[in-house]
C-alpha cells in the first residue's frame, strides 16, 4: 500500500475512492477485494486508514461478513427451541441488549411465509427480523419507538443483497399502527420489552420498557389489538416473552401477555419453550439460588397465534 501511495499517488487515490464507494454502497470487504482485484487486507487496511485520518471522505463502517446464512440449517420441529450458538451470519451480532437470536425469525419466516410475503416486526430493536426478511426475500416492515434502535437497524440492513427487499422502517409507537392497512400483513414477529426488566430508553414517551407489570400489560393489550387488525385472516403472529420474579414469587408475564393476545381475538396455535443461554447459573447467581431457594429462569415463551 505504501509503495502504491508513494510512487503512484494518483492511482492509489482513484483506487481508494472506488473502495470507499463500494463500501458505502453496502459491499462487503470480500466483495470489494474480488471486484477490484485486491487482497482483503489491502481493502480493510485502506478503509481503516481513511477512517482514522482526517481526510474529507465519508466512510461507512466496513461490512466484514463471513457468511450469509447459517450452516446446516433445519427448521425446528418440536415445541422446545434451543440455539447454543446464537447465529452470526450476515450482519447479525448480539450487541443490542436483549436482542433475539436470528434463528427465531428465520424459523418463523420460513415456516409461515413464502417469498414476496409481507412480514411486520413491531418491536424492531437492532433489526434482526428485517435482516432475515431481506436475506429471505420477504417484504419487511419494522417499527421501533426509539430513534437509536432505528439507526442501529438501518446500519445492519445496509448490505448490498436483494435490493428489491430493502425493508421499510418507521420510528413510531406500535400501539397505533395507522400507517398499516387492515388485513395486509402475512406474518408478525414480535419481541416486546419484558415490562421494565431491560429499559431501552430513559424517558421516551410510549416506550413500553419503562412500564411496570400492570401498566405494561394494559399497553401491550393495545398493541395486540393493532396487530390483530393489520394481520391477514388465517395468518400468524409470533410473540417472544419471558417471565420475571418479584420478591419470592414468579410473575407469569408470559401467560399474562398470552391472555391479552387471546382477548384481542387471536387463537393460540403453538406454545414454544425457548431455552435462554445467557442465564448465569454459575458463581454468584448459583450461590444465591441455593441460599435463597429459588430457581434461575432459563426459558422464554414463543407464542404463535393465528387470526381466525
Ligand atoms: C426486546 S427489544 C427487541 C429486540 C429485537 N428483537 C432485536 O433482535 O434487536 C424491544 C424493542 O421494543 C422497542 N419498543 C418499546 N416500546 C415500544 C413501542 N411502544 N412501540 C414500538 N417499539 C417499542 C424498544 O425500543 C426495543 O428496541
Amino acid at each position: 500500500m505504501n509503495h502504491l501511495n508513494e510512487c503512484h499517488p494518483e492511482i492509489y487515490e482513484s483506487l481508494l475512492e472506488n473502495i470507499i464507494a463500494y463500501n458505502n454502497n453496502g459491499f462487503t470487504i470480500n466483495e470489494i477485494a474480488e471486484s477490484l482485484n485486491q487482497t482483503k487486507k489491502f481493502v480493510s487496511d485502506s478503509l481503516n486508514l481513511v477512517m482514522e485520518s482526517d481526510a474529507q471522505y465519508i466512510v461507512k463502517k466496513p461490512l466484514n461478513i463471513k457468511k450469509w446464512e447459517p450452516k446446516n440449517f433445519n427448521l425446528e420441529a418440536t415445541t422446545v427451541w434451543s440455539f447454543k450458538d446464537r447465529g452470526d451470519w450476515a450482519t447479525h451480532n448480539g450487541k443490542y441488549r436483549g436482542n433475539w437470536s436470528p434463528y427465531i425469525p428465520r424459523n418463523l419466516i420460513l415456516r409461515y411465509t413464502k417469498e414476496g410475503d409481507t412480514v411486520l416486526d413491531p418491536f424492531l430493536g437492532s433489526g434482526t427480523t428485517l435482516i432475515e426478511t431481506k436475506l429471505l426475500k420477504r417484504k419487511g416492515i419494522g417499527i421501533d419507538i426509539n430513534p437509536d434502535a432505528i439507526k442501529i437497524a438501518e446500519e445492519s440492513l445496509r448490505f448490498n443483497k436483494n435490493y428489491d427487499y430493502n425493508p421499510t422502517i418507521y420510528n413510531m409507537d406500535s400501539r397505533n399502527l395507522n400507517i398499516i392497512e387492515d388485513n395486509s400483513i402475512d406474518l408478525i414477529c414480535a419481541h416486546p420489552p419484558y415490562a421494565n426488566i431491560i429499559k431501552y430508553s430513559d424517558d421516551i414517551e410510549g416506550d413500553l420498557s419503562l412500564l411496570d407489570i400492570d401498566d405494561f400489560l394494559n399497553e401491550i393489550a393495545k398493541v395486540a389489538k393493532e396487530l390483530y387488525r393489520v394481520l391477514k385472516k388465517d395468518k400468524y403472529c409470533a410473540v417472544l416473552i419471558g417471565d420475571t420474579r418479584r420478591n419470592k414469587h414468579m410473575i407469569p408475564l408470559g401467560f399474562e401477555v398470552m391472555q391479552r393476545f387471546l382477548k384481542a381475538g387471536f387463537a393460540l396455535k403453538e406454545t414454544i419453550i425457548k431455552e435462554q443461554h445467557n442465564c448465569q447459573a454459575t458463581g454468584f447467581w448459583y450461590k444465591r439460588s441455593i441460599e435463597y431457594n429459588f430457581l434461575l429462569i432459563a426459558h422464554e415463551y414463543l407464542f404463535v397465534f393465528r387470526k381466525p
Side-chain angles (χ1 to χ4, degrees):
M1 183 152 64
N2 275 346
H3 169 77
L4 192 59
N5 193 2
E6 278 158 22
C7 303
H8 309 282
E10 65 305 327
I11 299 182
Y12 179 67
E13 191 73 20
S14 131
L15 187 56
L16 194 59
E17 278 170 10
N18 264 326
I19 292 177
I20 294 171
Y22 271 103
N23 175 68
N24 289 357
N25 280 314
F27 288 89
T28 66
I29 290 185
N30 263 344
E31 290 164 340
I32 304 173
E34 249 172 52
S35 303
L36 298 178
N37 210 7
Q38 300 294 329
T39 64
K40 283 185 273 175
K41 183 168 178 339
F42 178 84
V43 172
S44 152
D45 287 353
S46 304
L47 287 169
N48 286 336
L49 255 182
V50 197
M51 284 195 302
E52 282 159 16
S53 77
D54 39 5
Q56 295 302 303
Y57 294 112
I58 295 173
V59 183
K60 295 192 178 163
K61 200 164 158 255
L63 293 169
N64 199 357
I65 293 173
K66 306 245 162 38
K67 53 181 187 279
W68 287 106
E69 52 186 10
K71 233 171 122 186
N72 306 326
F73 178 82
N74 286 314
L75 276 184
E76 294 300 308
T78 76
T79 54
V80 180
W81 292 11
S82 175
F83 309 110
K84 270 205 183 98
D85 111 65
R86 71 178 310 282
D88 62 354
W89 64 92
T91 46
H92 291 301
N93 65 65
K95 286 187 201 149
Y96 193 75
R97 256 194 101 194
N99 66 354
W100 62 5
S101 156
Y103 283 107
I104 299 175
R106 175 161 285 244
N107 266 281
L108 296 168
I109 291 166
L110 288 173
R111 182 175 280 276
Y112 296 119
T113 65
K114 56 183 185 328
E115 213 175 292
D117 277 359
T118 303
V119 178
L120 166 69
D121 184 338
F123 299 102
L124 179 64
S126 57
T128 312
T129 306
L130 295 193
I131 296 173
E132 287 304 297
T133 55
K134 187 168 168 179
L135 291 173
L136 297 168
K137 299 188 177 167
R138 270 67 170 172
K139 290 178 213 131
I141 303 176
I143 289 167
D144 203 288
I145 200 150
N146 190 334
D148 290 342
I150 302 285
K151 275 190 223 133
I152 295 170
E154 281 171 346
E155 177 62 30
S156 32
L157 283 158
R158 74 176 197 85
F159 57 86
N160 196 312
K161 242 190 189 333
N162 304 337
Y163 191 78
D164 290 346
Y165 291 92
N166 263 346
T168 316
I169 296 180
Y170 299 97
N171 180 203
M172 56 183 278
D173 187 335
S174 283
R175 290 173 301 175
N176 179 355
L177 298 173
N178 57 9
I179 41 121
I180 304 180
E181 280 179 26
D182 297 0
N183 310 308
S184 60
I185 302 291
D186 295 290
L187 171 68
I188 295 168
C189 299
H191 184 203
Y194 302 173
N196 52 6
I197 297 176
I198 296 178
K199 290 193 173 66
Y200 285 93
S201 72
D202 290 329
D203 52 9
I204 294 179
E205 169 88 37
D207 179 351
L208 302 189
S209 74
L210 301 177
L211 304 179
D212 208 353
I213 311 285
D214 289 343
D215 290 339
F216 171 79
L217 289 170
N218 286 338
E219 301 312 305
I220 205 78
K222 295 179 188 162
V223 178
K225 216 170 145 202
E226 276 296 79
L227 298 183
Y228 186 86
R229 177 183 69 74
V230 299
L231 190 66
K232 290 181 186 166
K233 185 175 156 30
D234 262 331
K235 300 284 179 165
Y236 298 102
C237 167
V239 182
L240 184 74
I241 184 86
D243 291 331
T244 185
R245 204 180 269 287
R246 292 285 152 91
N247 303 320
K248 290 187 170 163
H249 297 104
M250 285 291 279
I251 308 285
L253 190 61
F255 294 160
E256 294 283 0
V257 166
M258 186 244 277
Q259 289 300 338
R260 301 311 184 275
F261 276 74
L262 295 181
K263 197 148 182 252
F266 286 106
L268 185 60
K269 161 127 175 96
E270 309 287 356
T271 299
I272 297 157
I273 303 294
K274 149 79 184 31
E275 199 180 333
Q276 254 184 333
H277 288 284
N278 58 0
C279 163
Q280 287 179 349
T282 53
F284 173 80
W285 282 107
Y286 178 79
K287 272 199 214 133
R288 274 188 90 91
S289 97
I290 304 290
E291 202 177 323
Y292 294 98
N293 189 21
F294 69 93
L295 297 176
L296 299 162
I297 299 175
H299 70 281
E300 294 154 294
Y301 298 99
L302 180 62
F303 297 113
V304 181
F305 301 99
R306 185 177 67 86
K307 179 170 172 177

